[in-house]
């Protein structure tokens, strides 16, 4: 350790605090996935992360602060990933819808615990439900802006956000059923099923079927 830089094993104080914060996040996510949000306690998080209460309160004021901070962190990552998926889909001239749906399924499968927290556990927990609603509204607004820019003379159902709300609402329900294990389908089968349903709604040019 150096008295001037306060480093230990190559990490300074801020870096070590960040590592401990992530350990607490991981422990909380494990507990939420096992027993839901109400099953999370400070003692349980500390035991799972193998950190003392001192380090818990170094990062968070209380349990609510931990859970809301975890949700906000994961929601931010989800928004970035989905926005990237939509942008990549628009750039895919051969199969934009397929590109979007498959990137979404890949995100769900990459960390299903995080997705279950964002979509499943938060829905049944009043304080988190508001954050879940804000996350969905953010995604809707982003999807509508990107969709409107991508489609020349987009119809009012697209520009108003109604089309994105309809499509995203169905995809979220589909994803929720997949995450809860209620669909007897593989990741690829889920992607193809969702894609087939979207293609019945959205044209290959990004417009809407009218008949």
């Amino acid at each position: 350790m150096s008295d001037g830089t306060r480093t230990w094993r190559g990490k300074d104080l801020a870096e070590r605090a960040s590592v401990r914060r992530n350990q607490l996040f991981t422990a909380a996510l494990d507990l939420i996935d096992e027993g839901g949000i109400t099953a999370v306690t400070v003692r349980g998080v500390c035991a799972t992360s193998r950190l003392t209460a001192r380090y818990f309160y170094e990062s968070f004021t209380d349990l609510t602060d931990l859970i809301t901070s975890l949700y906000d962190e994961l929601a931010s990552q989800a928004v970035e990933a989905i926005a990237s998926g939509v942008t990549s889909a628009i750039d895919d001239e051969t199969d934009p819808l397929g590109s979007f749906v498959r990137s979404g399924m890949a995100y769900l499968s990459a960390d299903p615990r995080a997705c279950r927290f964002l979509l499943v556990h938060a829905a049944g927990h009043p304080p988190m439900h508001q954050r879940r609603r804000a996350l969905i509204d953010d995604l809707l607004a982003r999807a509508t802006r990107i969709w409107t820019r991508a489609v020349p003379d987009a119809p009012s159902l697209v520009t108003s956000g109604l089309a994105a709300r309809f499509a995203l609402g169905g995809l979220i329900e589909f994803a929720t059923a997949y995450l809860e294990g209620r669909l007897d389908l593989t990741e690829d089968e889920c992607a193809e099923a969702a894609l087939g349903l979207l293609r019945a709604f959205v044209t290959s040019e990004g417009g809407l079927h009218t008949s």
Side-chain angles (χ1 to χ4, degrees), residues 58-123:
E58 168 191 69
S59 295
F60 308 103
T61 56
D62 54 26
L63 196 59
T64 298
D65 185 27
L66 164 65
I67 294 172
T68 56
S69 295
L70 174 60
Y71 192 93
D72 291 345
E73 174 74 15
L74 295 176
S76 177
Q77 294 173 12
V79 166
E80 290 180 10
I82 293 173
S84 176
V86 172
T87 302
S88 297
I90 290 172
D91 293 337
D92 186 341
E93 297 180 357
T94 58
D95 188 12
L97 271 180
S99 177
F100 170 66
V101 171
R102 292 185 187 101
S103 68
M105 285 304 303
Y107 175 74
L108 287 177
S109 298
D111 193 350
R113 295 177 314 152
C115 294
R116 277 192 290 270
F117 177 36
L118 292 173
L119 297 178
V120 180
H121 296 296

Side-chain angles (χ1 to χ4, degrees), residues 141-186:
R142 288 169 181 265
T144 298
R145 287 197 300 270
I146 295 171
W147 195 346
T148 300
R149 288 198 303 266
V151 179
D153 302 318
S156 60
L157 283 175
V158 171
T159 59
S160 67
L162 290 176
R165 185 174 293 277
F166 182 86
L168 189 59
L171 287 173
I172 287 174
E173 175 57 30
F174 200 88
T176 299
Y178 172 71
L179 290 167
E180 290 181 328
R182 292 188 282 118
L183 299 180
D184 187 20
L185 298 172
T186 65

Side-chain angles (χ1 to χ4, degrees), residues 7-72:
T7 60
W8 176 255
R9 295 184 178 177
K11 292 184 174 64
D12 61 23
L13 287 173
E15 290 173 323
R16 297 201 302 279
S18 178
V19 168
R20 289 192 291 268
R21 181 182 176 87
N22 287 332
Q23 287 177 263
L24 293 165
F25 272 162
T26 299
L29 192 56
D30 285 341
L31 293 171
I32 290 170
D33 205 45
E34 291 172 5
I37 295 173
T38 56
V40 181
T41 63
V42 173
R43 179 175 294 181
V45 170
C46 290
T48 303
S49 64
R50 297 185 178 181
L51 294 172
T52 65
R54 167 197 168 191
Y55 290 124
F56 178 94
Y57 291 108
E58 168 191 69
S59 295
F60 308 103
T61 56
D62 54 26
L63 196 59
T64 298
D65 185 27
L66 164 65
I67 294 172
T68 56
S69 295
L70 174 60
Y71 192 93
D72 291 345

